[in-house]
Amino acid sequence: MLDFLFNPLSVAVIGASNDAQKSGGRFLKSLIDHRFSGRIYPVNPKSSEVMGLKSYQSVQDIPGEVDLAISTIPAQITLEAVSDCAEKRVKFVIIHSAGFGELDAEGKALEARMVETARQGGTKIVGPNCMGLYSPDAKINMILPHLTAVDSPPENGAVAFIGQSGWSAESMIIEGLQRGLRFSKVASIGNQIDLTAADYLEYFAEDPQTKVITAYLEGIKEGRRLLSLARQVSKKKPIIIWKSGKTAAGARAAASHTGSLAVPDSILQAAFRQTGIIRADSIYEMIDFAVAFNATHLPPGRRVGILVEAGGGAVTAADACEDLDLEVPSFSGQAQEEIRQFMRQVKAPIPSTRNPVDLVWPPYGEFAQIIKRCIDIMSRECDVILWITYYPLDDENIASALAQIVAEAKIPLLAVPAYAVGQDNTLSIYTRKGMPAFSRPERAVKAIAALERFASLSSLKS
């Protein structure tokens, strides 16, 4: 249904400008700079050429079909542009401008007229009041068109994001890339007067590139449909939603931002739990949970093995596990003895071995083989391993060696540096190798709980 939205063969920019500081210039320049491979049609009745491309008076003057139009003109003249798109039978139009239903009743009436007009030509509306798309395969980046950081990983990924806010989409992309995430598709959906979050969820459920679905929502439109879809989709793909506007102040802000109506939080919480949606309470949690699903395997159960080099982290992690109904079982006498014997062989201090396994400053020269051996032994008696380490996470060799052990054990390993300051950019190394990395133990444990919950409901158990 949305293939031509995320992978259009032709794009028209309504309100195209030679001024890259204006929206019409910024989006047009982005398509050119990112080497969009389809046809680009600037639309500006006052110019015959924009940024070196032939410009058209109207969308209707464009020869051939138009899959996607991007409207950057003011709200008060947008209806005319939508009418032109409908007559041209443009498949999708993204309305970037604000000033509609989020303001007043008059704005809502204008939204209704736009939807009615668009439907006459079979045109679907994204927005209004939105940033548009980030689609790496199609080389479309409307959300962060001026930032080269988004260009640095040319490959796409497995995470889709639905954002009812341009800010949330920007944050998800920038911070997600830094953590090692790669995106299949991102949609900033604004007031969702036509296409709603449910439409994107339905599409991403069948999109072969998308393995994890994330969303920031201020309001729930087509709630019954969205939850019914989620109940089915969550059995095969994790759905992570950060729903804001749960307080009175937040609800007022959501109403003025995207015209969203509040839903009592207790009802929403119950609905999410019943339909398998994983709820995040911040941008950090949403990214953490998405990072967690980069693990090569799902946990087959709730047993957490904790490996540390300093006891304080072990206590914090164990507390966090118990708070989230995860188990920290004592290892068998045989497993503990295997660890002790190995430590004697490498002439290292004998650690606490019950679980958590506390290595107490192992000799640095033997560190890599000690960690590998401990994880190998521990993996036989737990369902997931949490490793809190002083070892630098930028060591590609140890990361590759551990990734092989984890793959053979068929359980996930999550890594946490003992101190995260200065290591933000190294977390992605482990995440990209299938061992999700986090800045703090508590955040990692919450991510483990999200993995375990999905695994318990999923038809894709390891």
Side-chain angles (χ1 to χ4, degrees):
M1 172 189 172
L2 304 184
D3 284 338
F4 282 106
L5 173 62
F6 290 104
N7 295 287
L9 301 178
S10 54
V11 177
V13 180
I14 302 171
S17 171
N18 284 303
D19 185 353
Q21 299 302 310
K22 295 181 178 180
S23 296
R26 187 167 69 249
F27 293 145
L28 180 61
K29 186 175 187 298
S30 172
L31 290 169
I32 296 169
D33 289 349
H34 287 77
R35 296 181 176 85
F36 173 67
S37 59
R39 296 179 296 278
I40 305 173
Y41 300 117
V43 176
N44 186 326
K46 297 180 180 179
S47 302
S48 60
E49 184 178 290
V50 179
M51 291 190 181
L53 299 175
K54 175 179 171 57
S55 180
Y56 297 87
Q57 296 283 302
S58 162
V59 169
Q60 295 189 60
D61 296 325
I62 295 173
E65 294 186 359
V66 177
D67 292 331
L68 173 63
I70 302 166
S71 176
T72 67
I73 58 180
Q76 58 267 28
I77 57 174
T78 299
L79 179 59
E80 181 181 348
V82 171
S83 178
D84 287 342
C85 288
E87 289 191 34
K88 179 67 177 175
R89 297 199 173 275
V90 173
K91 296 178 180 68
F92 297 93
V93 57
I94 296 171
I95 300 176
H96 170 64
S97 54
F100 295 93
E102 75 277 10
L103 293 184
D104 50 32
E106 185 178 341
K108 286 189 178 296
L110 177 55
E111 288 179 342
R113 289 198 297 274
M114 289 195 301
V115 172
E116 181 182 1
T117 300
R119 285 178 177 168
Q120 292 174 5
T123 300
K124 291 290 187 179
I125 295 175
V126 178
N129 185 21
C130 70
M131 293 299 293
L133 308 177
Y134 171 52
S135 183
D137 263 3
K139 297 182 173 57
I140 295 176
N141 181 10
M142 295 176 63
I143 295 173
L144 290 164
H146 56 291
L147 292 181
T148 56
V150 179
D151 304 334
S152 57
E155 76 274 20
N156 63 19
V159 179
F161 178 69
I162 306 162
Q164 202 181 354
S165 154
W167 163 82
S168 69
E170 292 169 346
S171 299
M172 186 66 178
I173 293 172
I174 288 294
E175 296 189 37
L177 288 175
Q178 185 182 43
R179 291 285 301 279
L181 295 180
R182 297 294 181 263
F183 296 91
S184 57
K185 298 165 182 74
V186 174
S188 168
I189 65 175
N191 295 8
Q192 46 180 345
I193 63 172
D194 186 11
L195 291 173
T196 70
D199 292 303
Y200 298 97
L201 175 60
E202 184 175 39
Y203 176 74
F204 292 143
E206 301 301 326
D207 178 28
Q209 289 183 329
T210 297
K211 307 300 181 187
V212 179
I213 302 169
T214 59
Y216 165 82
L217 299 179
E218 294 178 358
I220 306 292
K221 291 192 175 182
E222 296 189 296
R224 289 183 182 276
R225 178 181 167 221
L226 185 142
L227 293 172
S228 177
L229 282 166
R231 190 185 301 277
Q232 299 304 314
V233 177
S234 62
K235 295 175 183 176
K236 56 182 181 178
K237 296 184 182 183
I239 303 170
I240 304 162
I241 296 181
W242 172 24
K243 171 64 175 68
S244 65
K246 61 184 182 180
T247 65
R252 288 195 302 271
S256 62
H257 179 218
T258 54
S260 298
L261 299 176
V263 177
D265 194 62
S266 58
I267 294 176
L268 196 68
Q269 181 75 1
F272 279 15
R273 179 161 291 279
Q274 290 169 8
T275 54
I277 294 172
I278 299 167
R279 183 171 187 175
D281 287 326
S282 68
I283 184 72
Y284 305 111
E285 278 197 358
M286 185 165 57
I287 292 173
D288 278 352
F289 295 164
V291 164
F293 284 99
N294 231 50
T296 52
H297 294 88
L298 293 173
R302 309 174 69 81
R303 301 172 302 166
V304 181
I306 302 172
L307 177 63
V308 299
E309 295 134 43
V315 176
T316 299
D319 278 346
C321 287
E322 293 254 334
D323 286 343
L324 292 170
D325 294 327
L326 298 168
E327 300 173 15
V328 185
S330 294
F331 291 136
S332 68
Q334 179 181 343
Q336 294 185 55
E337 184 58 27
E338 281 191 61
I339 294 174
R340 283 193 290 266
Q341 287 182 6
F342 178 76
M343 297 298 278
R344 291 189 187 100
Q345 290 173 14
V346 296
K347 297 181 171 54
I350 303 301
S352 170
T353 57
R354 293 186 62 186
N355 190 24
V357 174
D358 184 357
L359 297 177
V360 194
W361 301 103
Y364 198 79
E366 311 295 336
F367 190 93
Q369 64 171 318
I370 290 172
I371 294 297
K372 287 188 290 184
R373 182 61 177 147
C374 286
I375 288 175
D376 183 35
I377 296 168
M378 292 169 63
S379 66
R380 302 172 201 160
E381 298 191 7
C382 59
D383 301 307
V384 57
I385 292 176
L386 176 59
W387 178 38
I388 306 170
T389 181
Y390 283 91
Y391 199 82
L393 294 186
D394 59 354
D395 189 319
E396 291 271 2
N397 292 326
I398 183 65
S400 297
L402 289 179
Q404 183 175 352
I405 292 171
V406 169
E408 292 171 355
K410 296 184 179 180
I411 66 170
L413 179 144
L414 284 69
V416 178
Y419 45 88
V421 176
Q423 295 201 56
D424 287 350
N425 292 327
T426 69
L427 298 182
S428 65
I429 293 174
Y430 271 67
T431 296
R432 298 283 286 159
K433 289 185 180 293
M435 298 173 292
F438 303 83
S439 62
R440 305 301 304 167
E442 302 90 335
R443 290 172 64 167
V445 171
K446 280 190 175 183
I448 290 172
L451 281 176
E452 192 279 329
R453 180 168 178 240
F454 175 72
S456 68
L457 298 173
S458 172
S459 59
L460 305 176
K461 289 185 180 181
S462 299

